Amino acid sequence: EQGKRSVEYYLNNIRQKINENLKKYIPKGQYPVASAILLGDRSEMTSLDVKSFRKSGILHATAVSGLHLSYILGSFMLFLNVIKTKRKLKAAVSVVIIIAVMALTGFSPSVLRAGFMGIIAAIAMLLAKEADSINSLGLSLIVIMIITPTSAFDIRLVLSAVSTLGILVFSSPLINKAKVKYKNIRFNKIITAVSSLFFISFGAWIFTLPVIALYFNEVSMVGILTNIILAYPIMVTLLVS
C-alpha cells in the first residue's frame, strides 16, 4: 500500500527514472558508463567496458566518490556564495546534499567514504574550524569498516580511498607550493590551475597504479594522460574560484 511505502521505494523510483532518461538521451553504448559515473551502478557495464577503463587507468572514475560529490557540492556552494549565504546555512545545505547523493547512489562504500569526509568538513565549517583531510579520510574508512567489514574488499572503495590519499599527501603540497611560487606572476591563476590539474591527476594515478597492478595484474602507463583529461572540470573549478 502507498502509506507503507518506504524511503527506499521512492529512492529506487528516482534512480529508475534517472536511468530511463539516461537510456532515452544517451547513445546505447555510452549509457552503462553514464549510469556507473552518475549513480554508481556498474551492473550494465560489460566486462569489456570495465577492462577498457582499467587499461586507461581511470577505473576509479566509475566509482561515485569525492570527485563527483565535489562537482555537485561546488555548484551549490558557488550559488550560495553569490547570494552571500551565512556559514551555518551553507554547512546545513552541504550535509543535506551529501546525504541525498549518498542515498541516490545506494550508499555504496566509495560514496560513503566521500560523504563522511564531506559531512566532517561541513561540521568543521559550522564550528568555524578547518577539518584535517587525512584524519577525515581515516575516520571515514574506520566507520565504513565497522558498518560493513566486507567493504575492505570492494575495489571501488579501495581505488577511491587511495586516489584521495594520493591527492592529499602528494598533490596538495605541490599545489600549495605552486600557488606561492606563481603568486606574483601574470596569469598566475591560469598557471596555478594547469599545474594543479597535472598534480591532481598524477597523484591519483601514481597511488592507484599499485592497486590496479595487484588486483588485475596489469599496469596502465597512459593513466596519467587520461586522468588529466578526466580532471579537466577541476581546472575550470579552480579558475572560477
Side-chain angles (χ1 to χ4, degrees):
E1 295 178 5
Q2 190 170 356
K4 294 182 180 179
R5 288 173 180 173
S6 65
V7 174
E8 185 178 359
Y9 170 84
Y10 292 104
L11 287 172
N12 285 334
N13 265 359
I14 294 172
R15 280 194 289 267
Q16 186 176 347
K17 288 185 181 297
I18 293 174
N19 266 323
E20 286 173 359
N21 283 320
L22 289 176
K23 281 183 178 179
K24 184 177 180 181
Y25 296 107
I26 294 178
K28 185 177 179 181
Q30 298 169 18
Y31 156 71
V33 175
S35 181
I37 291 174
L38 292 174
L39 298 173
D41 180 10
R42 294 205 306 201
S43 61
E44 297 286 338
M45 287 183 69
T46 65
S47 58
L48 183 60
D49 291 330
V50 175
K51 186 177 181 180
S52 297
F53 270 76
R54 191 173 71 236
K55 285 185 174 293
S56 300
I58 53 172
L59 185 61
H60 59 90
T62 62
V64 178
S65 58
L67 182 67
H68 309 73
L69 200 56
S70 65
Y71 292 158
I72 298 169
L73 268 179
S75 301
F76 278 97
M77 290 301 106
L78 186 62
F79 172 72
L80 293 177
N81 286 334
V82 169
I83 62 175
K84 301 186 185 302
T85 307
K86 292 183 178 179
R87 186 183 70 249
K88 289 184 178 180
L89 180 57
K90 282 197 285 189
V93 170
S94 296
V95 172
V96 171
I97 293 170
I98 289 168
I99 293 174
V101 172
M102 290 165 69
L104 279 174
T105 53
F107 295 101
S108 66
S110 58
V111 82
L112 281 176
R113 191 278 307 161
F116 286 151
M117 288 186 70
I119 290 172
I120 292 170
I123 293 172
M125 184 194 302
L126 188 63
L127 300 174
K129 304 287 185 181
E130 188 174 345
D132 184 285
S133 298
I134 295 178
N135 286 337
S136 299
L137 174 61
L139 179 60
S140 301
L141 293 174
I142 289 171
V143 172
I144 292 170
M145 292 304 108
I146 291 173
I147 296 172
T148 52
T150 54
S151 295
F153 304 101
D154 189 310
I155 184 61
R156 292 173 298 177
L157 175 62
V158 176
L159 288 172
S160 171
V162 296
S163 61
T164 301
L165 183 63
I167 292 169
L168 292 177
V169 303
F170 179 86
S171 308
S172 293
L174 294 175
I175 291 171
N176 292 333
K177 287 181 180 179
K179 286 180 179 178
V180 174
K181 183 176 181 179
Y182 303 122
K183 185 178 181 181
N184 300 316
I185 296 178
R186 193 179 182 186
F187 305 120
N188 65 307
K189 277 202 170 185
I190 296 176
I191 295 171
T192 302
V194 172
S195 59
S196 297
L197 176 63
F198 174 77
F199 292 143
I200 290 170
S201 302
F202 190 80
W205 174 71
I206 201 69
F207 272 65
T208 54
L209 195 64
V211 177
I212 296 290
L214 180 65
Y215 270 77
F216 304 110
N217 296 317
E218 62 184 34
V219 172
S220 170
M221 299 311 295
V222 299
I224 181 61
L225 296 176
T226 51
N227 272 280
I228 288 174
I229 296 170
L230 176 71
Y232 175 76
I234 296 176
M235 182 173 71
V236 177
T237 304
L238 289 169
L239 286 171
V240 171
S241 62

